[in-house]
Amino acid sequence: MELLDNYVEIGQRLLLELRNEMESLRQEQNLMKQRILNNNDETANTTLPQIDSTFRDLKMAISTQKDENTKLQSQITELKKEKSQLQQLIITCTQKVQMLEEQIGNYTH
């Protein structure tokens, strides 16, 4: 009977130690979880403003690029008009030169 009492006592002590260790592990787990949550919050608080700032800069750069593209497209359109006018002027001048050459050719014969 005494042996049985010793086993029960040892079992109870082991059970108490296991419960204490479980409680200690739970507390450690909760601390780790809290650290992770704090790190996540800190990361969000530091990176979100940077992301917002970068996004605003990107939107501004896109807007600036669109404006520049519009101006360049307008300049291209204007240059095409000028090219067309110059080509027409060259054709007209070429025709006048041909007419003059024909008239001069008539005087030399």
Side-chain angles (χ1 to χ4, degrees):
M1 187 70 153
E2 190 175 315
L3 185 62
L4 186 59
D5 287 340
N6 283 340
Y7 283 135
V8 169
E9 187 180 322
I10 291 171
Q12 287 176 341
R13 262 191 273 130
L14 287 175
L15 185 59
L16 182 62
E17 286 177 21
L18 286 174
R19 285 182 181 162
N20 288 338
E21 188 175 343
M22 282 178 30
E23 183 58 33
S24 175
L25 289 173
R26 279 191 190 113
Q27 288 175 356
E28 189 177 336
Q29 180 185 16
N30 286 335
L31 283 173
M32 288 177 160
K33 182 178 179 181
Q34 191 58 46
R35 284 185 195 142
I36 290 171
L37 292 174
N38 289 342
N39 285 342
N40 283 344
D41 289 345
E42 184 179 329
T43 300
N45 290 336
T46 57
T47 56
L48 286 178
Q50 291 173 346
I51 291 171
D52 287 342
S53 175
T54 303
F55 187 66
R56 280 192 306 274
D57 292 346
L58 176 63
K59 283 171 50 176
M60 194 176 343
I62 289 171
S63 177
T64 301
Q65 186 64 51
K66 282 182 180 179
D67 291 344
E68 185 176 344
N69 288 354
T70 301
K71 289 176 185 176
L72 289 172
Q73 188 61 47
S74 175
Q75 289 176 348
I76 289 170
T77 301
E78 189 62 33
L79 287 171
K80 285 180 179 180
K81 285 180 187 176
E82 288 178 15
K83 177 186 172 191
S84 178
Q85 290 171 348
L86 287 173
Q87 285 175 330
Q88 192 61 40
L89 185 61
I90 289 171
I91 290 171
T92 302
C93 288
T94 302
Q95 289 172 347
K96 286 184 180 181
V97 166
Q98 284 177 346
M99 285 175 43
L100 288 174
E101 285 176 346
E102 287 176 9
Q103 288 177 356
I104 291 175
N106 287 339
Y107 290 120
T108 57
H109 283 67

